[in-house]
């Protein structure tokens, strides 16, 4: 299955249960990327528009580039009432955007799906002279027991599981090869997530590796996750330790 197709059929649950990014990160990005009122942001691999929406809320013009039809349709339904949002069917390696037209490229929860070298070339083409690229993930805090045990559940019942965020914590991408002269700013922002049972299950079912209802692993997967929720929840709520990781630099 191509990476573009991995979220087909998951758009609704993705939009409903995937978390946004902390306000502190948005403030940091606006400041460090030196954004102005008329800055144009290209959100590549924009999915259902979770991160695009946060940028729109701050008044910026955002071009969402997303190859998956299901994900892009949900983003359009949610965001097209904002005239500053433009939706494009394109890939990270071929955005179809104009040369030297973008002030900031953002990639939220998607860089691990890209061809890094081809995406780098595309960023160099579409960015203005001083434009930057921001890569960001919401990552589970691997030191917590709940996240360790949920990873074991995913390993057991999800044949395509290679680690959270495509295994990027376990096999770090060579960011030094991506950013210009190997230089980038790495920052962490606390972003713990609170869910009820349906939200907890929904968060896992939104993952590319999670089984679908027609898969034999689906019901055992749900049962194992429900048992985890029962073990760690308090008054019907569970807190998942989560960290927002940010990489920002020129390419």
């Amino acid at each position: 299955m191509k990476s573009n197709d991995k979220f087909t059929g998951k758009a609704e649950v993705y939009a409903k249960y995937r978390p946004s990014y902390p306000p502190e990160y948005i403030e940091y990005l606006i400041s460090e990327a030196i954004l102005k009122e008329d800055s144009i942001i290209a959100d590549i691999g924009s999915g259902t528009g979770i991160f695009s929406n946060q940028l729109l809320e701050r008044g910026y013009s955002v071009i969402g580039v997303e190859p998956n039809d299901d994900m892009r349709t949900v983003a359009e339904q949610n965001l097209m009432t904002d005239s500053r949002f433009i939706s494009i069917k394109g890939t990270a390696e071929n955005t179809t955007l104009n040369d030297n037209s973008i002030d900031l490229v953002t990639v939220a929860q998607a860089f691990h799906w890209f061809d890094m070298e081809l995406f780098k070339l595309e960023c160099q083409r579409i960015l203005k002279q001083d434009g930057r690229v921001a890569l960001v993930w919401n990552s589970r805090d691997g030191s917590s027991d709940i996240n360790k045990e949920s990873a074991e559940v995913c390993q057991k019942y999800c044949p395509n599981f290679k680690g959270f965020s495509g295994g990027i914590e376990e096999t770090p991408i060579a960011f030094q090869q991506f950013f210009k002269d190997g230089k980038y700013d790495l920052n962490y922002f606390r972003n713990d997530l609170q869910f009820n049972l349906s939200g907890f299950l929904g968060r896992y079912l939104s993952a590319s590796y999670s089984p679908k209802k027609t898969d034999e692993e689906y019901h055992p997967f749900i049962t194992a996750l429900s048992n985890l929720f029962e073990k760690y929840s308090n008054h019907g709520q569970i807190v998942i330790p989560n960290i927002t990781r940010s990489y920002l630099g020129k390419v």
Side-chain angles (χ1 to χ4, degrees):
M1 181 185 294
K2 295 188 299 183
S3 61
N4 292 352
D5 300 326
K6 288 182 179 293
F7 290 97
T8 297
K10 295 176 182 279
E12 295 292 342
V13 69
Y14 194 106
K16 186 174 182 179
Y17 295 115
R18 283 293 179 115
S20 58
Y21 299 83
E24 294 83 4
Y25 170 66
I26 303 298
E27 293 296 335
Y28 157 82
L29 184 61
I30 291 171
S31 174
E32 293 300 314
I34 318 175
L35 295 180
K36 301 175 182 178
E37 288 185 7
D38 60 350
S39 291
I40 299 174
I41 302 170
D43 190 20
I44 312 298
S46 48
T48 60
I50 293 171
F51 192 57
S52 293
N53 185 51
Q54 289 188 267
L55 298 171
L56 289 167
E57 287 177 341
R58 295 304 303 268
Y60 296 103
S61 295
V62 179
I63 303 172
V65 179
E66 171 57 46
N68 184 279
D69 293 339
D70 287 1
M71 302 285 273
R72 193 179 62 259
T73 296
V74 170
E76 290 170 355
Q77 291 170 347
N78 293 336
L79 302 178
M80 286 303 280
T81 55
D82 193 322
S83 61
R84 294 164 303 171
F85 180 68
I86 298 173
S87 179
I88 291 179
K89 181 173 184 176
T91 66
E93 302 81 10
N94 181 21
T95 63
T96 76
L97 300 178
N98 293 332
D99 294 356
N100 307 313
S101 62
I102 301 300
D103 296 286
L104 173 68
V105 166
T106 61
V107 183
Q109 218 73 24
F111 183 66
H112 48 284
W113 299 120
F114 300 170
D115 181 308
M116 184 175 69
E117 291 302 326
L118 292 180
F119 176 56
K120 179 176 181 176
L121 291 173
E122 185 70 348
C123 288
Q124 291 171 342
R125 183 183 70 80
I126 66 176
L127 280 168
K128 296 177 182 178
Q129 183 175 358
D130 292 322
R132 289 172 171 80
V133 178
L135 312 176
V136 60
W137 283 266
N138 273 317
S139 300
R140 294 168 182 82
D141 184 343
S143 66
S144 75
D145 290 338
I146 175 61
N147 287 332
K148 290 177 183 177
E149 291 186 40
S150 65
E152 292 172 0
V153 168
C154 293
Q155 191 73 52
K156 184 174 182 180
Y157 296 109
C158 305
N160 295 320
F161 181 72
K162 296 180 176 63
F164 297 127
S165 296
I168 198 165
E169 286 91 347
E170 292 80 1
T171 55
I173 289 174
F175 296 105
Q176 288 186 340
Q177 295 179 20
F178 178 72
F179 287 104
K180 185 177 180 180
D181 300 325
K183 296 178 180 179
Y184 57 91
D185 293 326
L186 171 60
N187 282 276
Y188 300 91
F189 303 82
R190 199 78 206 178
N191 192 25
D192 293 343
L193 311 175
Q194 182 171 321
F195 296 113
N196 58 17
L197 177 59
S198 62
F200 180 70
L201 296 177
R203 172 62 186 87
Y204 284 90
L205 289 174
S206 74
S208 62
Y209 51 77
S210 69
K212 298 180 179 180
K213 288 185 178 181
T214 52
D215 297 328
E216 63 180 35
E217 298 92 353
Y218 179 83
H219 290 293
F221 181 57
I222 294 297
T223 298
L225 287 176
S226 298
N227 290 338
L228 266 187
F229 183 87
E230 182 67 25
K231 178 178 179 180
Y232 286 100
S233 63
N234 186 23
H235 299 295
Q237 297 287 320
I238 194 170
V239 175
I240 305 300
N242 187 79
I243 297 169
T244 295
R245 294 183 297 120
S246 161
Y247 302 78
L248 177 66
K250 295 182 179 182
V251 293

